[in-house]
């Protein structure tokens, strides 16, 4: 019989919630709502959320380290807001994987590493062209009412289609040998560490460490920066718990017809857009904040290249981060090649003046006015969902 | 039905592969089977635990279940419809 004291009841409830939160997976729509709310908090906290700029910061450091950059060194990664939120995402996914007892260094067949690297190079190049990845160039860009966000969306969809075609070709023509499983050593009672039991404790320690670091940033008067790490941590946790994946929203309608992620991303965007309208229309932040993309050529072509890359690597800018946190070695290669390609391509585009040809961003309310922009965008995303649902039933766009 | 006693007509090994490869290969292999045959998919991608059952229930196929073995691999069983 359960004891009736407050503590045993609290303990029971905590354990029950723990299982509900960390053992079972969260539905994508719930994650979509939560991510939109956190993205809005980030917008109010300082500036719009992105990811690729953090990758560029890391790539810039490699250039600086080898003496290939002129002038001032780039911001230290721990003083760069987007870099910090990226670290937060990795830590959030790491903590979440540990709490679910899922963390493991995951190896992949050799061909997969090659695809991971090439995918990262394509995504880095595409992100440099579009001036943003699937988050800064699409998700946040759309919510900021940037024309570039919509151009990139079409590019991503076309790129995903081409990338999927390649994967189908590869399946027919390039055999890949599965990674042999290492037999688990049977652990004798009372000997060594019970990894299953230790994992959740390390996970909790990681979460505690992030909160402590946030406070430490506060102590040295950098609360705003510390917040980026903390928000990133929450996003990483949510994304890993739900396996939230922008790639799926673009790929699955062509692959299995499944529309769940299209619904989740659309729902998330509608909340993000509504909140952003309140913030921008109400002048809580500068209305044209986050309007810097390459409309429309850069965003469209960049999105296309990015789309092919994300199919090859199996992760976009955000899901690369949370998959690294889960221990997938393939995506660690993607992370490095993404960062280097983004920093390199950005340098080339600026030095050659190609940037000018890629286009200048437009702020949709400047073109359509606020009262018209809102219903237009709402109808646009409703149409995306309805088309995806129709495709789920009829498989009109499914390529094989 | 005890899953471990199922004799699969075809076994698909996706160990080490991650999303979307296990799904793509499952879909392709299923196409090659005839109705009533059973496909066993082996893999270790955590994402597959939702994806493969969801997918296997489509198109009249029947999802028979999955189990985790001692080596950290998951075995999924799908009956082609």
């Amino acid at each position: 019989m359960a004891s009736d004291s407050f503590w045993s009841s609290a303990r029971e409830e905590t354990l029950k919630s723990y299982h509900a939160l960390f053992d079972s997976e969260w539905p994508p729509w719930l994650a979509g709502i939560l991510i939109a709310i956190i993205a809005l908090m980030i917008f109010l906290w300082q500036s719009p959320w992105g990811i690729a700029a953090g990758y560029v910061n890391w790539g810039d450091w490699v250039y600086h380290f080898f003496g290939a950059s002129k002038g001032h060194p780039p911001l230290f990664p721990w003083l760069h807001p987007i870099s910090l939120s990226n670290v937060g995402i990795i830590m959030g996914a790491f903590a979440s994987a540990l709490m679910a007892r899922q963390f493991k260094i995951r190896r992949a067949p050799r061909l997969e590493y090659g695809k991971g690297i090439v995918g990262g190079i394509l995504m880095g190049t595409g992100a440099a062209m579009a001036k943003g990845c699937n988050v800064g160039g699409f998700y946040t860009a759309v919510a900021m009412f940037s024309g570039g966000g919509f151009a990139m969306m079409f590019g991503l969809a076309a790129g995903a289609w081409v990338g999927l075609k390649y994967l189908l070709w590869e399946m027919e023509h390039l055999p890949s040998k599965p990674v042999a499983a290492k037999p688990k050593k049977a652990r004798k009672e009372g000997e060594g560490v019970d990894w299953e039991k230790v994992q959740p404790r390390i996970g909790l320690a990681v979460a505690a460490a992030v909160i402590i670091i946030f406070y430490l940033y506060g102590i040295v008067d950098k609360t705003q920066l510390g917040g980026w790490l903390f928000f990133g941590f929450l996003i990483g946790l949510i994304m890993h718990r739900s396996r939230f994946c922008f790639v799926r929203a673009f790929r699955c309608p062509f692959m299995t017809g499944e529309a769940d992620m299209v619904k989740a991303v659309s729902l998330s965007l509608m909340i993000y857009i509504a909140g952003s309208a309140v913030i921008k229309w109400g002048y809580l932040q500068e209305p044209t904040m986050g309007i810097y993309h390459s409309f429309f050529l850069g965003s469209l072509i960049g999105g296309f290249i990015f789309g092919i890359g994300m199919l090859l690597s199996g992760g976009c800018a955000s899901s690369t981060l949370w998959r690294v946190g889960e221990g997938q070695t393939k995506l660690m290669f993607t992370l490095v090649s993404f960062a280097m390609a983004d920093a390199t391509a950005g340098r080339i585009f600026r030095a050659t003046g190609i940037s000018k040809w890629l286009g200048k961003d437009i702020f949709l309310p400047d073109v359509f006015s606020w009262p018209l922009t809102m219903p237009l965008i709402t109808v646009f995303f409703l149409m995306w969902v309805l088309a995806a649902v129709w495709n789920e039933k009829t498989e009109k766009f499914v390529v094989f | 039905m005890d899953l471990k006693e199922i004799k699969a007509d075809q076994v698909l090994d996706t160990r080490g592969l991650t999303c979307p490869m296990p799904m793509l290969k499952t879909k392709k292999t299923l196409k090659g089977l005839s109705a009533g045959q059973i496909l066993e998919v082996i893999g270790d991608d955590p994402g597959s635990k939702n994806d493969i059952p969801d997918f296997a229930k489509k198109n009249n196929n029947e999802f028979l279940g999955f189990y985790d073995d001692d080596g950290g691999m998951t075995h999924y069983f799908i009956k082609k419809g």
Side-chain angles (χ1 to χ4, degrees):
Chain A
M1 203 186 81
S3 129
D4 290 338
S5 81
F6 169 76
W7 292 113
S8 64
S9 149
R11 192 185 133 81
E12 213 174 289
E13 187 56 30
T14 309
L15 280 175
K16 220 166 68 190
S17 316
Y18 185 91
H19 287 301
L21 286 177
F22 295 108
D23 283 345
S24 53
E25 226 167 80
W26 300 2
W29 59 265
L30 176 64
I33 295 173
L34 294 174
I35 291 167
I37 293 171
I38 294 175
L40 284 168
M41 288 203 259
I42 294 177
F43 186 26
L44 282 172
W45 184 255
Q46 188 169 5
S47 55
W49 175 44
I51 286 185
Y55 286 151
V56 173
N57 176 256
W58 301 343
D60 280 347
W61 268 102
V62 177
Y63 271 99
H64 184 73
F65 184 79
F66 287 107
S69 72
K70 287 168 252 151
H72 294 293
L75 271 182
F76 286 111
W78 53 90
L79 295 179
H80 188 291
I82 308 290
S83 150
L84 260 180
S85 101
N86 287 356
V87 172
I89 294 175
I90 297 178
M91 288 177 87
F94 181 50
S96 163
L98 285 166
M99 300 222 246
R101 299 180 188 84
Q102 263 179 6
F103 181 81
K104 155 173 138 180
I105 296 295
R106 296 166 190 278
R107 272 175 263 276
R110 202 168 288 172
L111 173 66
E112 291 297 313
Y113 288 109
K115 277 158 68 188
I117 293 170
V118 174
I121 293 173
L122 291 174
M123 286 196 287
T125 312
M129 226 177 221
K131 300 218 180 102
C133 53
N134 61 298
V135 174
F138 160 61
Y139 181 69
T140 290
V142 161
M144 294 298 126
F145 306 100
S146 146
F150 290 88
M152 185 166 189
M153 185 178 168
F154 286 100
L156 286 172
W161 186 84
V162 172
L164 181 60
K165 280 280 182 190
Y166 163 76
L167 291 184
L168 294 173
W169 176 88
E170 174 203 293
M171 229 169 33
E172 300 289 340
H173 296 88
L174 305 177
S176 84
K177 241 176 47 197
V179 177
K182 268 193 276 174
K184 238 189 206 170
K185 279 180 222 122
R187 200 182 64 90
K188 281 191 201 111
E189 212 44 57
E191 195 183 275
V193 200
D194 187 351
W195 190 227
E196 289 272 302
K197 263 201 170 142
V198 174
Q199 279 208 31
R201 290 178 196 173
I202 306 176
L204 285 172
V206 172
V210 168
I211 292 166
I212 292 169
I213 296 171
F214 184 12
Y215 285 150
L216 288 179
Y217 270 93
I219 289 172
V220 295
D221 229 9
K222 299 222 180 290
T223 314
Q224 218 172 13
L225 269 175
W228 282 93
L229 178 79
F230 184 66
F231 285 130
F233 176 80
L234 292 179
I235 290 176
L237 194 88
I238 296 164
M239 284 190 157
H240 180 263
R241 291 288 356 117
S242 59
R243 308 194 74 79
F244 197 86
C245 184
F246 285 96
V247 187
R248 291 183 70 138
F250 291 102
R251 180 193 65 212
C252 285
F254 298 130
M255 189 171 115
T256 56
E258 180 239 308
D260 289 359
M261 209 41 93
V262 173
K263 291 183 202 162
V265 170
S266 292
L267 174 67
S268 185
L269 270 170
M270 284 196 204
I271 296 168
Y272 196 5
I273 286 164
S276 160
V278 171
I279 295 167
K280 288 191 163 203
W281 207 352
Y283 290 96
L284 293 170
Q285 290 279 33
E286 189 57 42
T288 50
M289 202 183 227
I291 308 294
Y292 52 78
H293 303 90
S294 324
F295 183 78
F296 65 93
L297 265 189
S299 290
L300 186 70
I301 303 172
F304 178 69
I305 299 172
F306 192 98
I308 302 174
M310 72 188 185
L311 260 275
L312 290 188
S313 61
C316 49
S318 45
S319 49
T320 293
L321 289 175
W322 69 252
R323 285 186 157 96
V324 165
E326 176 183 71
Q328 294 194 19
T329 50
K330 174 187 173 189
L331 276 306
M332 296 177 191
F333 284 86
T334 304
L335 185 76
V336 175
S337 67
F338 190 142
M340 287 320 298
D342 203 338
T344 309
R347 281 177 162 69
I348 294 173
F349 294 151
R350 279 191 303 273
T352 52
I354 291 179
S355 300
K356 285 185 204 110
W357 290 93
L358 296 175
K360 207 169 166 296
D361 211 359
I362 53 165
F363 181 47
L364 294 182
D366 279 349
V367 181
F368 299 109
S369 79
W370 274 113
L372 204 56
T373 303
M374 295 306 288
L376 275 178
I377 294 188
T378 309
V379 168
F380 178 82
F381 282 105
L382 277 178
M383 287 310 290
W384 189 29
V385 171
L386 291 176
V389 170
W390 173 69
N391 175 52
E392 195 169 38
K393 287 180 201 138
T394 59
E395 303 205 338
K396 274 268 190 271
F397 298 108
V398 175
V399 290
F400 97 117
Chain B
M1 177 168 37
D2 189 2
L3 292 170
K4 289 181 190 178
E5 279 166 18
I6 292 182
K7 275 266 179 285
D9 296 285
Q10 190 159 357
V11 179
L12 172 63
D13 192 344
T14 69
R15 285 177 296 181
L17 292 176
T18 50
C19 186
M21 296 317 283
M23 281 288 287
L24 273 178
K25 295 201 171 198
T26 302
K27 185 169 179 181
K28 184 189 158 214
T29 316
L30 262 182
K31 279 194 169 181
L33 295 184
S34 42
Q37 287 191 306
I38 293 176
L39 171 66
E40 175 180 2
V41 183
I42 308 173
D44 58 352
D45 181 22
S48 295
K49 285 211 171 162
N50 274 335
D51 294 350
I52 292 188
D54 280 353
F55 171 72
K57 287 168 196 157
K58 286 176 136 193
N59 303 323
N60 297 324
N61 300 319
E62 191 187 342
F63 184 65
L64 303 175
F66 66 78
Y67 72 87
D68 297 319
D69 67 17
D70 298 333
M73 295 296 152
T74 310
H75 300 246
Y76 304 86
F77 296 89
I78 307 164
K79 191 178 193 177
K80 165 112 174 180

